[in-house]
Amino acid sequence: MVIKTILDTDLYKFTTSYAYIKLFPYAMGTFTFKDRDDTEYTEGFLEALKNEIHNLEMVRLSPDEQEYMTTHCRFLPGVYWEWLSSFRFDSKKIEVWLDEHHHLQMSVTDYLYKVTLYEVPLLAIVSEIKNQFQNHIPDKKVILDRLAGKVELSNMHRMPFSEFGTRRRFSFDVHQMVVEYLKDHAQYCTGTSNCYLAMKYNMRPMGTHPHEWFMFHGAQFGYKHANYMALENWVNVYDGDLGTALSDTYTSDAFLSNFSRKQAKLFDGVRCDSGNEYEFIDRLIARYKELGIDPTTKTIIFSNALDFEKALKIFQYCQGKIRCSFGIGTNLTNDTGYQPSNIVMKLSRCKMSPNQEWRECVKLSDDMGKHMGSMTEVEACLHELRLLSE
C-alpha cells in the first residue's frame, strides 16, 4: 500500500474540509487530474493504480492519530476529527482510465468536504507507481548528499522553510527519509505539511488554504468578488488562525486590488505561488504601505517550484523590507536524479447543493500556460476582472 494512513496528506486538506462542512455542507465538487507533461501510461500502470485506489478504502484515522490531531490543531474542533474517524474513501467515486493517447484521465466527485480529501493521496499514488513502472531506483546517498547541501545553505543564512512535498514525492520512503534528515539537521525548518510525518517526527504541521477555496467562491459568487469573499469566509471559520492568504487564484493583480485594510491587518501574510517573485514583493509592500501597514510586520510565503538557491536570492531581496519563508516541495522530496512528475488535481466544477446545476471552476495563474479551465470560461473570467480587452 502506498497510502497507509489518512494523515499521510497535507494539513490544508483538513482545514479546507472543515471550512466546507461549516459553511457549505451541501456543496459538491469534482476534482480532475492533469499531467502537464502528457505522459503516456501503460495498461499495467493503470491496473496498479486501480489496485491502490481500492486499497485506499482500508485507510482510516486511528485513535492515536485522532488524539494527536485533536491536541495539535487547536483551530480544528474535536468533532471534526471524530467525523474523520468514520470517513472512508470510496473507490467507486473515482473514475480512472487511459484515453486513446494513453494519457491518464482521473476524476472524483462527492460533497466538497469529502472530495477535497482525495486530491493529495491520489497524486502521491500516481507519482510513486509511475517511478516503480519506470524502474527508477532511488540512491539514498545521492539524495542525502543533495539534501545536506540544501540544509547547509538554510542553516548558514538562517533561511526559514517548511517541507511541502507530499503530492509529487518520489515515494513515501524517500519522503520519510527526507523529513527525518530535516528534523535532525535543519535548524530553520519550521515544519512539514504532511500530518503523519509531523506526528512521527514531532514537527509542526503546516498549511492554510488552497486555490480550490477561491475557485469555489469564484464559480458561485463571481470572479470579481471571489478573493474578498473567500478570505472573509475563511475568517468566519477560523477567526484569525491559519492567517496566510493565497494571492494568485485570479492573478495577483485582482488580489491586490481588493485586498482590504481589514484583511491586510488580520492576515499574517500572503502566499506567492506563481509569477515573478521580485515584482510581487514590491507590489505587496506598496499595497501594505498604501493601507497604512508596516510591511516588516508581515510575511510572504513563497511556494512556486522553488529550489534552495532561488529561495536564497528571494530571501536576500526581502531583507529589511518584509519577512519571508519558503514552502519547498518537489525539490526536497523528489530530487533523485529522475524527472519528477508534473501532475495536479484541481477543482474543475462545483455546485452549492445536489439540486443545482454544475458550474465550471477556473484558475488564472500569474504564470503563462498555467490557467486551468475551458478557454470560454477563462475568457469570461478575464473579462469580468477587466484583464482582457473587449
PDB file of all heavy atoms in Angstrom, residues 28-30 32 214-223 250 346-351 357-363 371-381:
ATOM      1  N   MET A  28     -21.122  20.452  -3.643  1.00  0.00           N
ATOM      2  CA  MET A  28     -20.483  19.302  -4.274  1.00  0.00           C
ATOM      3  C   MET A  28     -19.416  19.774  -5.259  1.00  0.00           C
ATOM      4  O   MET A  28     -19.451  20.907  -5.740  1.00  0.00           O
ATOM      5  CB  MET A  28     -21.525  18.445  -4.994  1.00  0.00           C
ATOM      6  CG  MET A  28     -22.615  17.915  -4.083  1.00  0.00           C
ATOM      7  SD  MET A  28     -23.663  16.702  -4.909  1.00  0.00           S
ATOM      8  CE  MET A  28     -22.525  15.304  -5.013  1.00  0.00           C
ATOM      9  N   GLY A  29     -18.476  18.882  -5.557  1.00  0.00           N
ATOM     10  CA  GLY A  29     -17.422  19.258  -6.485  1.00  0.00           C
ATOM     11  C   GLY A  29     -16.803  18.049  -7.165  1.00  0.00           C
ATOM     12  O   GLY A  29     -16.951  16.909  -6.709  1.00  0.00           O
ATOM     13  N   THR A  30     -16.117  18.320  -8.255  1.00  0.00           N
ATOM     14  CA  THR A  30     -15.350  17.310  -8.984  1.00  0.00           C
ATOM     15  C   THR A  30     -13.901  17.757  -9.074  1.00  0.00           C
ATOM     16  O   THR A  30     -13.625  18.893  -9.479  1.00  0.00           O
ATOM     17  CB  THR A  30     -15.907  17.109 -10.401  1.00  0.00           C
ATOM     18  OG1 THR A  30     -17.234  16.609 -10.334  1.00  0.00           O
ATOM     19  CG2 THR A  30     -15.038  16.129 -11.196  1.00  0.00           C
ATOM     20  N   THR A  32     -10.351  16.974 -10.973  1.00  0.00           N
ATOM     21  CA  THR A  32      -9.911  16.381 -12.224  1.00  0.00           C
ATOM     22  C   THR A  32      -8.390  16.383 -12.297  1.00  0.00           C
ATOM     23  O   THR A  32      -7.741  17.390 -11.986  1.00  0.00           O
ATOM     24  CB  THR A  32     -10.496  17.150 -13.414  1.00  0.00           C
ATOM     25  OG1 THR A  32     -11.928  17.137 -13.321  1.00  0.00           O
ATOM     26  CG2 THR A  32     -10.079  16.514 -14.735  1.00  0.00           C
ATOM     27  N   PHE A 214     -10.791  29.402  -3.344  1.00  0.00           N
ATOM     28  CA  PHE A 214     -11.068  30.610  -4.119  1.00  0.00           C
ATOM     29  C   PHE A 214     -11.791  30.262  -5.418  1.00  0.00           C
ATOM     30  O   PHE A 214     -12.664  31.014  -5.866  1.00  0.00           O
ATOM     31  CB  PHE A 214      -9.755  31.344  -4.412  1.00  0.00           C
ATOM     32  CG  PHE A 214      -9.073  31.854  -3.176  1.00  0.00           C
ATOM     33  CD1 PHE A 214      -8.310  31.003  -2.393  1.00  0.00           C
ATOM     34  CD2 PHE A 214      -9.209  33.169  -2.778  1.00  0.00           C
ATOM     35  CE1 PHE A 214      -7.680  31.460  -1.236  1.00  0.00           C
ATOM     36  CE2 PHE A 214      -8.589  33.648  -1.628  1.00  0.00           C
ATOM     37  CZ  PHE A 214      -7.821  32.780  -0.852  1.00  0.00           C
ATOM     38  N   MET A 215     -11.439  29.126  -6.026  1.00  0.00           N
ATOM     39  CA  MET A 215     -12.105  28.702  -7.248  1.00  0.00           C
ATOM     40  C   MET A 215     -13.580  28.423  -7.004  1.00  0.00           C
ATOM     41  O   MET A 215     -14.447  28.763  -7.824  1.00  0.00           O
ATOM     42  CB  MET A 215     -11.414  27.461  -7.812  1.00  0.00           C
ATOM     43  CG  MET A 215      -9.996  27.732  -8.299  1.00  0.00           C
ATOM     44  SD  MET A 215      -9.020  26.241  -8.580  1.00  0.00           S
ATOM     45  CE  MET A 215      -9.773  25.599 -10.075  1.00  0.00           C
ATOM     46  N   PHE A 216     -13.885  27.816  -5.864  1.00  0.00           N
ATOM     47  CA  PHE A 216     -15.281  27.570  -5.498  1.00  0.00           C
ATOM     48  C   PHE A 216     -16.034  28.897  -5.359  1.00  0.00           C
ATOM     49  O   PHE A 216     -17.147  29.057  -5.889  1.00  0.00           O
ATOM     50  CB  PHE A 216     -15.348  26.780  -4.185  1.00  0.00           C
ATOM     51  CG  PHE A 216     -16.719  26.714  -3.579  1.00  0.00           C
ATOM     52  CD1 PHE A 216     -17.683  25.862  -4.088  1.00  0.00           C
ATOM     53  CD2 PHE A 216     -17.057  27.528  -2.499  1.00  0.00           C
ATOM     54  CE1 PHE A 216     -18.962  25.805  -3.535  1.00  0.00           C
ATOM     55  CE2 PHE A 216     -18.325  27.471  -1.934  1.00  0.00           C
ATOM     56  CZ  PHE A 216     -19.282  26.609  -2.456  1.00  0.00           C
ATOM     57  N   HIS A 217     -15.442  29.851  -4.662  1.00  0.00           N
ATOM     58  CA  HIS A 217     -16.098  31.150  -4.471  1.00  0.00           C
ATOM     59  C   HIS A 217     -16.267  31.884  -5.801  1.00  0.00           C
ATOM     60  O   HIS A 217     -17.291  32.538  -6.030  1.00  0.00           O
ATOM     61  CB  HIS A 217     -15.292  31.998  -3.484  1.00  0.00           C
ATOM     62  CG  HIS A 217     -15.505  31.626  -2.053  1.00  0.00           C
ATOM     63  ND1 HIS A 217     -14.924  30.514  -1.483  1.00  0.00           N
ATOM     64  CD2 HIS A 217     -16.252  32.210  -1.080  1.00  0.00           C
ATOM     65  CE1 HIS A 217     -15.293  30.426  -0.216  1.00  0.00           C
ATOM     66  NE2 HIS A 217     -16.102  31.435   0.051  1.00  0.00           N
ATOM     67  N   GLY A 218     -15.271  31.770  -6.686  1.00  0.00           N
ATOM     68  CA  GLY A 218     -15.392  32.417  -7.986  1.00  0.00           C
ATOM     69  C   GLY A 218     -16.539  31.856  -8.800  1.00  0.00           C
ATOM     70  O   GLY A 218     -17.307  32.597  -9.422  1.00  0.00           O
ATOM     71  N   ALA A 219     -16.666  30.529  -8.793  1.00  0.00           N
ATOM     72  CA  ALA A 219     -17.736  29.889  -9.561  1.00  0.00           C
ATOM     73  C   ALA A 219     -19.116  30.226  -9.001  1.00  0.00           C
ATOM     74  O   ALA A 219     -20.072  30.400  -9.756  1.00  0.00           O
ATOM     75  CB  ALA A 219     -17.523  28.370  -9.562  1.00  0.00           C
ATOM     76  N   GLN A 220     -19.222  30.325  -7.687  1.00  0.00           N
ATOM     77  CA  GLN A 220     -20.537  30.512  -7.054  1.00  0.00           C
ATOM     78  C   GLN A 220     -20.936  31.980  -6.888  1.00  0.00           C
ATOM     79  O   GLN A 220     -22.112  32.308  -6.927  1.00  0.00           O
ATOM     80  CB  GLN A 220     -20.558  29.816  -5.685  1.00  0.00           C
ATOM     81  CG  GLN A 220     -20.446  28.301  -5.764  1.00  0.00           C
ATOM     82  CD  GLN A 220     -21.613  27.671  -6.508  1.00  0.00           C
ATOM     83  OE1 GLN A 220     -22.745  28.128  -6.439  1.00  0.00           O
ATOM     84  NE2 GLN A 220     -21.321  26.584  -7.222  1.00  0.00           N
ATOM     85  N   PHE A 221     -19.956  32.864  -6.694  1.00  0.00           N
ATOM     86  CA  PHE A 221     -20.282  34.248  -6.331  1.00  0.00           C
ATOM     87  C   PHE A 221     -19.739  35.285  -7.302  1.00  0.00           C
ATOM     88  O   PHE A 221     -19.978  36.476  -7.123  1.00  0.00           O
ATOM     89  CB  PHE A 221     -19.760  34.561  -4.918  1.00  0.00           C
ATOM     90  CG  PHE A 221     -20.258  33.616  -3.868  1.00  0.00           C
ATOM     91  CD1 PHE A 221     -19.391  32.739  -3.243  1.00  0.00           C
ATOM     92  CD2 PHE A 221     -21.604  33.587  -3.508  1.00  0.00           C
ATOM     93  CE1 PHE A 221     -19.845  31.857  -2.267  1.00  0.00           C
ATOM     94  CE2 PHE A 221     -22.067  32.704  -2.535  1.00  0.00           C
ATOM     95  CZ  PHE A 221     -21.183  31.834  -1.919  1.00  0.00           C
ATOM     96  N   GLY A 222     -18.998  34.843  -8.331  1.00  0.00           N
ATOM     97  CA  GLY A 222     -18.445  35.788  -9.292  1.00  0.00           C
ATOM     98  C   GLY A 222     -16.966  36.019  -9.051  1.00  0.00           C
ATOM     99  O   GLY A 222     -16.507  36.058  -7.911  1.00  0.00           O
ATOM    100  N   TYR A 223     -16.229  36.183 -10.143  1.00  0.00           N
ATOM    101  CA  TYR A 223     -14.771  36.273 -10.042  1.00  0.00           C
ATOM    102  C   TYR A 223     -14.306  37.586  -9.422  1.00  0.00           C
ATOM    103  O   TYR A 223     -13.281  37.631  -8.744  1.00  0.00           O
ATOM    104  CB  TYR A 223     -14.148  36.099 -11.423  1.00  0.00           C
ATOM    105  CG  TYR A 223     -14.536  34.784 -12.062  1.00  0.00           C
ATOM    106  CD1 TYR A 223     -15.300  34.732 -13.221  1.00  0.00           C
ATOM    107  CD2 TYR A 223     -14.146  33.577 -11.478  1.00  0.00           C
ATOM    108  CE1 TYR A 223     -15.662  33.517 -13.792  1.00  0.00           C
ATOM    109  CE2 TYR A 223     -14.506  32.358 -12.041  1.00  0.00           C
ATOM    110  CZ  TYR A 223     -15.266  32.345 -13.193  1.00  0.00           C
ATOM    111  OH  TYR A 223     -15.634  31.141 -13.745  1.00  0.00           O
ATOM    112  N   TYR A 250      -6.811  34.227  -9.095  1.00  0.00           N
ATOM    113  CA  TYR A 250      -7.319  35.014 -10.226  1.00  0.00           C
ATOM    114  C   TYR A 250      -6.350  36.152 -10.560  1.00  0.00           C
ATOM    115  O   TYR A 250      -6.777  37.264 -10.838  1.00  0.00           O
ATOM    116  CB  TYR A 250      -8.718  35.537  -9.914  1.00  0.00           C
ATOM    117  CG  TYR A 250      -9.714  34.416  -9.722  1.00  0.00           C
ATOM    118  CD1 TYR A 250     -10.289  34.174  -8.484  1.00  0.00           C
ATOM    119  CD2 TYR A 250     -10.026  33.558 -10.773  1.00  0.00           C
ATOM    120  CE1 TYR A 250     -11.168  33.112  -8.303  1.00  0.00           C
ATOM    121  CE2 TYR A 250     -10.901  32.502 -10.599  1.00  0.00           C
ATOM    122  CZ  TYR A 250     -11.461  32.286  -9.365  1.00  0.00           C
ATOM    123  OH  TYR A 250     -12.330  31.234  -9.185  1.00  0.00           O
ATOM    124  N   LYS A 346      -7.182  19.449  -9.733  1.00  0.00           N
ATOM    125  CA  LYS A 346      -7.814  20.712  -9.378  1.00  0.00           C
ATOM    126  C   LYS A 346      -9.336  20.584  -9.400  1.00  0.00           C
ATOM    127  O   LYS A 346      -9.897  19.744 -10.108  1.00  0.00           O
ATOM    128  CB  LYS A 346      -7.386  21.819 -10.352  1.00  0.00           C
ATOM    129  CG  LYS A 346      -5.905  22.191 -10.266  1.00  0.00           C
ATOM    130  CD  LYS A 346      -5.561  22.845  -8.943  1.00  0.00           C
ATOM    131  CE  LYS A 346      -4.102  23.285  -8.888  1.00  0.00           C
ATOM    132  NZ  LYS A 346      -3.722  23.799  -7.565  1.00  0.00           N
ATOM    133  N   LEU A 347      -9.985  21.445  -8.641  1.00  0.00           N
ATOM    134  CA  LEU A 347     -11.441  21.511  -8.649  1.00  0.00           C
ATOM    135  C   LEU A 347     -11.889  22.013 -10.021  1.00  0.00           C
ATOM    136  O   LEU A 347     -11.567  23.131 -10.422  1.00  0.00           O
ATOM    137  CB  LEU A 347     -11.913  22.465  -7.546  1.00  0.00           C
ATOM    138  CG  LEU A 347     -13.414  22.548  -7.311  1.00  0.00           C
ATOM    139  CD1 LEU A 347     -13.970  21.225  -6.792  1.00  0.00           C
ATOM    140  CD2 LEU A 347     -13.726  23.672  -6.310  1.00  0.00           C
ATOM    141  N   SER A 348     -12.611  21.178 -10.757  1.00  0.00           N
ATOM    142  CA  SER A 348     -12.987  21.535 -12.130  1.00  0.00           C
ATOM    143  C   SER A 348     -14.435  22.004 -12.250  1.00  0.00           C
ATOM    144  O   SER A 348     -14.783  22.703 -13.206  1.00  0.00           O
ATOM    145  CB  SER A 348     -12.769  20.341 -13.062  1.00  0.00           C
ATOM    146  OG  SER A 348     -13.490  19.207 -12.611  1.00  0.00           O
ATOM    147  N   ARG A 349     -15.288  21.619 -11.295  1.00  0.00           N
ATOM    148  CA  ARG A 349     -16.676  22.080 -11.310  1.00  0.00           C
ATOM    149  C   ARG A 349     -17.231  21.974  -9.888  1.00  0.00           C
ATOM    150  O   ARG A 349     -16.697  21.235  -9.044  1.00  0.00           O
ATOM    151  CB  ARG A 349     -17.539  21.269 -12.284  1.00  0.00           C
ATOM    152  CG  ARG A 349     -17.625  19.791 -11.944  1.00  0.00           C
ATOM    153  CD  ARG A 349     -18.547  19.036 -12.884  1.00  0.00           C
ATOM    154  NE  ARG A 349     -18.733  17.655 -12.400  1.00  0.00           N
ATOM    155  CZ  ARG A 349     -19.653  16.823 -12.858  1.00  0.00           C
ATOM    156  NH1 ARG A 349     -20.474  17.212 -13.826  1.00  0.00           N
ATOM    157  NH2 ARG A 349     -19.767  15.596 -12.374  1.00  0.00           N
ATOM    158  N   CYS A 350     -18.287  22.717  -9.628  1.00  0.00           N
ATOM    159  CA  CYS A 350     -18.894  22.668  -8.296  1.00  0.00           C
ATOM    160  C   CYS A 350     -20.350  23.124  -8.383  1.00  0.00           C
ATOM    161  O   CYS A 350     -20.773  23.706  -9.382  1.00  0.00           O
ATOM    162  CB  CYS A 350     -18.124  23.546  -7.305  1.00  0.00           C
ATOM    163  SG  CYS A 350     -18.147  25.314  -7.719  1.00  0.00           S
ATOM    164  N   LYS A 351     -21.102  22.823  -7.354  1.00  0.00           N
ATOM    165  CA  LYS A 351     -22.459  23.349  -7.214  1.00  0.00           C
ATOM    166  C   LYS A 351     -22.777  23.461  -5.730  1.00  0.00           C
ATOM    167  O   LYS A 351     -22.238  22.726  -4.901  1.00  0.00           O
ATOM    168  CB  LYS A 351     -23.480  22.482  -7.943  1.00  0.00           C
ATOM    169  CG  LYS A 351     -23.494  20.998  -7.608  1.00  0.00           C
ATOM    170  CD  LYS A 351     -24.510  20.294  -8.504  1.00  0.00           C
ATOM    171  CE  LYS A 351     -24.533  18.787  -8.283  1.00  0.00           C
ATOM    172  NZ  LYS A 351     -25.535  18.127  -9.155  1.00  0.00           N
ATOM    173  N   GLU A 357     -27.389  23.278 -10.754  1.00  0.00           N
ATOM    174  CA  GLU A 357     -26.598  22.914 -11.925  1.00  0.00           C
ATOM    175  C   GLU A 357     -25.107  23.084 -11.625  1.00  0.00           C
ATOM    176  O   GLU A 357     -24.717  23.930 -10.821  1.00  0.00           O
ATOM    177  CB  GLU A 357     -26.979  23.803 -13.118  1.00  0.00           C
ATOM    178  CG  GLU A 357     -28.380  23.531 -13.661  1.00  0.00           C
ATOM    179  CD  GLU A 357     -28.668  24.348 -14.906  1.00  0.00           C
ATOM    180  OE1 GLU A 357     -27.783  25.121 -15.333  1.00  0.00           O
ATOM    181  OE2 GLU A 357     -29.769  24.209 -15.450  1.00  0.00           O
ATOM    182  N   TRP A 358     -24.299  22.287 -12.314  1.00  0.00           N
ATOM    183  CA  TRP A 358     -22.849  22.397 -12.159  1.00  0.00           C
ATOM    184  C   TRP A 358     -22.355  23.718 -12.742  1.00  0.00           C
ATOM    185  O   TRP A 358     -22.861  24.187 -13.759  1.00  0.00           O
ATOM    186  CB  TRP A 358     -22.137  21.254 -12.876  1.00  0.00           C
ATOM    187  CG  TRP A 358     -22.308  19.918 -12.230  1.00  0.00           C
ATOM    188  CD1 TRP A 358     -23.117  18.895 -12.642  1.00  0.00           C
ATOM    189  CD2 TRP A 358     -21.647  19.450 -11.051  1.00  0.00           C
ATOM    190  NE1 TRP A 358     -22.996  17.819 -11.792  1.00  0.00           N
ATOM    191  CE2 TRP A 358     -22.100  18.126 -10.806  1.00  0.00           C
ATOM    192  CE3 TRP A 358     -20.712  20.005 -10.173  1.00  0.00           C
ATOM    193  CZ2 TRP A 358     -21.651  17.367  -9.725  1.00  0.00           C
ATOM    194  CZ3 TRP A 358     -20.273  19.259  -9.094  1.00  0.00           C
ATOM    195  CH2 TRP A 358     -20.727  17.953  -8.873  1.00  0.00           C
ATOM    196  N   ARG A 359     -21.361  24.294 -12.087  1.00  0.00           N
ATOM    197  CA  ARG A 359     -20.670  25.471 -12.618  1.00  0.00           C
ATOM    198  C   ARG A 359     -19.186  25.144 -12.769  1.00  0.00           C
ATOM    199  O   ARG A 359     -18.596  24.531 -11.885  1.00  0.00           O
ATOM    200  CB  ARG A 359     -20.840  26.670 -11.681  1.00  0.00           C
ATOM    201  CG  ARG A 359     -22.282  27.145 -11.573  1.00  0.00           C
ATOM    202  CD  ARG A 359     -22.382  28.407 -10.750  1.00  0.00           C
ATOM    203  NE  ARG A 359     -23.766  28.849 -10.635  1.00  0.00           N
ATOM    204  CZ  ARG A 359     -24.142  29.945  -9.975  1.00  0.00           C
ATOM    205  NH1 ARG A 359     -23.223  30.699  -9.373  1.00  0.00           N
ATOM    206  NH2 ARG A 359     -25.413  30.285  -9.917  1.00  0.00           N
ATOM    207  N   GLU A 360     -18.625  25.567 -13.888  1.00  0.00           N
ATOM    208  CA  GLU A 360     -17.208  25.286 -14.128  1.00  0.00           C
ATOM    209  C   GLU A 360     -16.324  26.145 -13.223  1.00  0.00           C
ATOM    210  O   GLU A 360     -16.634  27.300 -12.928  1.00  0.00           O
ATOM    211  CB  GLU A 360     -16.862  25.571 -15.596  1.00  0.00           C
ATOM    212  CG  GLU A 360     -15.438  25.188 -15.954  1.00  0.00           C
ATOM    213  CD  GLU A 360     -15.074  25.496 -17.393  1.00  0.00           C
ATOM    214  OE1 GLU A 360     -15.964  25.925 -18.158  1.00  0.00           O
ATOM    215  OE2 GLU A 360     -13.893  25.317 -17.736  1.00  0.00           O
ATOM    216  N   CYS A 361     -15.208  25.578 -12.773  1.00  0.00           N
ATOM    217  CA  CYS A 361     -14.224  26.306 -11.980  1.00  0.00           C
ATOM    218  C   CYS A 361     -12.997  26.594 -12.838  1.00  0.00           C
ATOM    219  O   CYS A 361     -12.567  25.747 -13.613  1.00  0.00           O
ATOM    220  CB  CYS A 361     -13.797  25.489 -10.756  1.00  0.00           C
ATOM    221  SG  CYS A 361     -15.135  25.122  -9.612  1.00  0.00           S
ATOM    222  N   VAL A 362     -12.437  27.784 -12.668  1.00  0.00           N
ATOM    223  CA  VAL A 362     -11.223  28.140 -13.395  1.00  0.00           C
ATOM    224  C   VAL A 362     -10.207  28.730 -12.432  1.00  0.00           C
ATOM    225  O   VAL A 362     -10.544  29.206 -11.345  1.00  0.00           O
ATOM    226  CB  VAL A 362     -11.490  29.147 -14.535  1.00  0.00           C
ATOM    227  CG1 VAL A 362     -12.435  28.569 -15.557  1.00  0.00           C
ATOM    228  CG2 VAL A 362     -12.003  30.469 -13.993  1.00  0.00           C
ATOM    229  N   LYS A 363      -8.957  28.707 -12.872  1.00  0.00           N
ATOM    230  CA  LYS A 363      -7.859  29.312 -12.115  1.00  0.00           C
ATOM    231  C   LYS A 363      -7.001  30.097 -13.086  1.00  0.00           C
ATOM    232  O   LYS A 363      -6.635  29.597 -14.145  1.00  0.00           O
ATOM    233  CB  LYS A 363      -7.031  28.228 -11.420  1.00  0.00           C
ATOM    234  CG  LYS A 363      -5.759  28.705 -10.746  1.00  0.00           C
ATOM    235  CD  LYS A 363      -5.048  27.550 -10.084  1.00  0.00           C
ATOM    236  CE  LYS A 363      -3.711  27.961  -9.494  1.00  0.00           C
ATOM    237  NZ  LYS A 363      -2.681  28.210 -10.512  1.00  0.00           N
ATOM    238  N   HIS A 371      -3.093  28.596 -16.644  1.00  0.00           N
ATOM    239  CA  HIS A 371      -4.533  28.792 -16.466  1.00  0.00           C
ATOM    240  C   HIS A 371      -5.223  27.426 -16.523  1.00  0.00           C
ATOM    241  O   HIS A 371      -4.845  26.557 -17.305  1.00  0.00           O
ATOM    242  CB  HIS A 371      -5.111  29.684 -17.572  1.00  0.00           C
ATOM    243  CG  HIS A 371      -4.648  31.112 -17.509  1.00  0.00           C
ATOM    244  ND1 HIS A 371      -3.976  31.634 -16.435  1.00  0.00           N
ATOM    245  CD2 HIS A 371      -4.777  32.125 -18.403  1.00  0.00           C
ATOM    246  CE1 HIS A 371      -3.722  32.912 -16.661  1.00  0.00           C
ATOM    247  NE2 HIS A 371      -4.185  33.237 -17.853  1.00  0.00           N
ATOM    248  N   MET A 372      -6.241  27.248 -15.690  1.00  0.00           N
ATOM    249  CA  MET A 372      -6.976  25.991 -15.689  1.00  0.00           C
ATOM    250  C   MET A 372      -8.448  26.254 -15.959  1.00  0.00           C
ATOM    251  O   MET A 372      -9.040  27.176 -15.392  1.00  0.00           O
ATOM    252  CB  MET A 372      -6.801  25.267 -14.351  1.00  0.00           C
ATOM    253  CG  MET A 372      -5.353  24.881 -14.070  1.00  0.00           C
ATOM    254  SD  MET A 372      -5.206  23.551 -12.882  1.00  0.00           S
ATOM    255  CE  MET A 372      -5.846  22.175 -13.814  1.00  0.00           C
ATOM    256  N   GLY A 373      -9.041  25.444 -16.833  1.00  0.00           N
ATOM    257  CA  GLY A 373     -10.435  25.601 -17.199  1.00  0.00           C
ATOM    258  C   GLY A 373     -10.565  25.742 -18.700  1.00  0.00           C
ATOM    259  O   GLY A 373      -9.576  25.876 -19.428  1.00  0.00           O
ATOM    260  N   SER A 374     -11.811  25.716 -19.191  1.00  0.00           N
ATOM    261  CA  SER A 374     -12.046  25.853 -20.629  1.00  0.00           C
ATOM    262  C   SER A 374     -11.697  27.270 -21.073  1.00  0.00           C
ATOM    263  O   SER A 374     -11.788  28.224 -20.296  1.00  0.00           O
ATOM    264  CB  SER A 374     -13.503  25.554 -20.959  1.00  0.00           C
ATOM    265  OG  SER A 374     -14.344  26.585 -20.457  1.00  0.00           O
ATOM    266  N   MET A 375     -11.313  27.411 -22.327  1.00  0.00           N
ATOM    267  CA  MET A 375     -10.968  28.734 -22.852  1.00  0.00           C
ATOM    268  C   MET A 375     -12.142  29.696 -22.726  1.00  0.00           C
ATOM    269  O   MET A 375     -11.973  30.877 -22.415  1.00  0.00           O
ATOM    270  CB  MET A 375     -10.524  28.614 -24.318  1.00  0.00           C
ATOM    271  CG  MET A 375      -9.994  29.925 -24.897  1.00  0.00           C
ATOM    272  SD  MET A 375      -8.593  30.592 -23.964  1.00  0.00           S
ATOM    273  CE  MET A 375      -7.367  29.311 -24.258  1.00  0.00           C
ATOM    274  N   THR A 376     -13.357  29.192 -22.932  1.00  0.00           N
ATOM    275  CA  THR A 376     -14.551  30.041 -22.843  1.00  0.00           C
ATOM    276  C   THR A 376     -14.697  30.635 -21.450  1.00  0.00           C
ATOM    277  O   THR A 376     -14.919  31.847 -21.279  1.00  0.00           O
ATOM    278  CB  THR A 376     -15.816  29.230 -23.187  1.00  0.00           C
ATOM    279  OG1 THR A 376     -15.684  28.703 -24.499  1.00  0.00           O
ATOM    280  CG2 THR A 376     -17.063  30.101 -23.098  1.00  0.00           C
ATOM    281  N   GLU A 377     -14.552  29.798 -20.423  1.00  0.00           N
ATOM    282  CA  GLU A 377     -14.733  30.266 -19.049  1.00  0.00           C
ATOM    283  C   GLU A 377     -13.548  31.115 -18.592  1.00  0.00           C
ATOM    284  O   GLU A 377     -13.733  32.091 -17.856  1.00  0.00           O
ATOM    285  CB  GLU A 377     -14.933  29.079 -18.099  1.00  0.00           C
ATOM    286  CG  GLU A 377     -15.450  29.461 -16.725  1.00  0.00           C
ATOM    287  CD  GLU A 377     -16.821  30.116 -16.752  1.00  0.00           C
ATOM    288  OE1 GLU A 377     -17.621  29.806 -17.658  1.00  0.00           O
ATOM    289  OE2 GLU A 377     -17.102  30.941 -15.849  1.00  0.00           O
ATOM    290  N   VAL A 378     -12.345  30.765 -19.030  1.00  0.00           N
ATOM    291  CA  VAL A 378     -11.175  31.585 -18.699  1.00  0.00           C
ATOM    292  C   VAL A 378     -11.343  32.994 -19.261  1.00  0.00           C
ATOM    293  O   VAL A 378     -11.087  34.004 -18.575  1.00  0.00           O
ATOM    294  CB  VAL A 378      -9.872  30.927 -19.232  1.00  0.00           C
ATOM    295  CG1 VAL A 378      -8.715  31.925 -19.203  1.00  0.00           C
ATOM    296  CG2 VAL A 378      -9.520  29.705 -18.395  1.00  0.00           C
ATOM    297  N   GLU A 379     -11.809  33.085 -20.503  1.00  0.00           N
ATOM    298  CA  GLU A 379     -12.005  34.408 -21.117  1.00  0.00           C
ATOM    299  C   GLU A 379     -13.118  35.174 -20.421  1.00  0.00           C
ATOM    300  O   GLU A 379     -13.022  36.392 -20.238  1.00  0.00           O
ATOM    301  CB  GLU A 379     -12.296  34.266 -22.613  1.00  0.00           C
ATOM    302  CG  GLU A 379     -11.070  33.838 -23.410  1.00  0.00           C
ATOM    303  CD  GLU A 379     -11.319  33.799 -24.907  1.00  0.00           C
ATOM    304  OE1 GLU A 379     -12.481  34.030 -25.330  1.00  0.00           O
ATOM    305  OE2 GLU A 379     -10.360  33.549 -25.658  1.00  0.00           O
ATOM    306  N   ALA A 380     -14.187  34.473 -20.007  1.00  0.00           N
ATOM    307  CA  ALA A 380     -15.263  35.125 -19.250  1.00  0.00           C
ATOM    308  C   ALA A 380     -14.731  35.688 -17.942  1.00  0.00           C
ATOM    309  O   ALA A 380     -15.081  36.804 -17.529  1.00  0.00           O
ATOM    310  CB  ALA A 380     -16.394  34.128 -18.985  1.00  0.00           C
ATOM    311  N   CYS A 381     -13.861  34.928 -17.297  1.00  0.00           N
ATOM    312  CA  CYS A 381     -13.247  35.374 -16.048  1.00  0.00           C
ATOM    313  C   CYS A 381     -12.360  36.598 -16.286  1.00  0.00           C
ATOM    314  O   CYS A 381     -12.425  37.586 -15.539  1.00  0.00           O
ATOM    315  CB  CYS A 381     -12.438  34.229 -15.440  1.00  0.00           C
ATOM    316  SG  CYS A 381     -11.596  34.629 -13.905  1.00  0.00           S
TER     317      CYS A 381
END
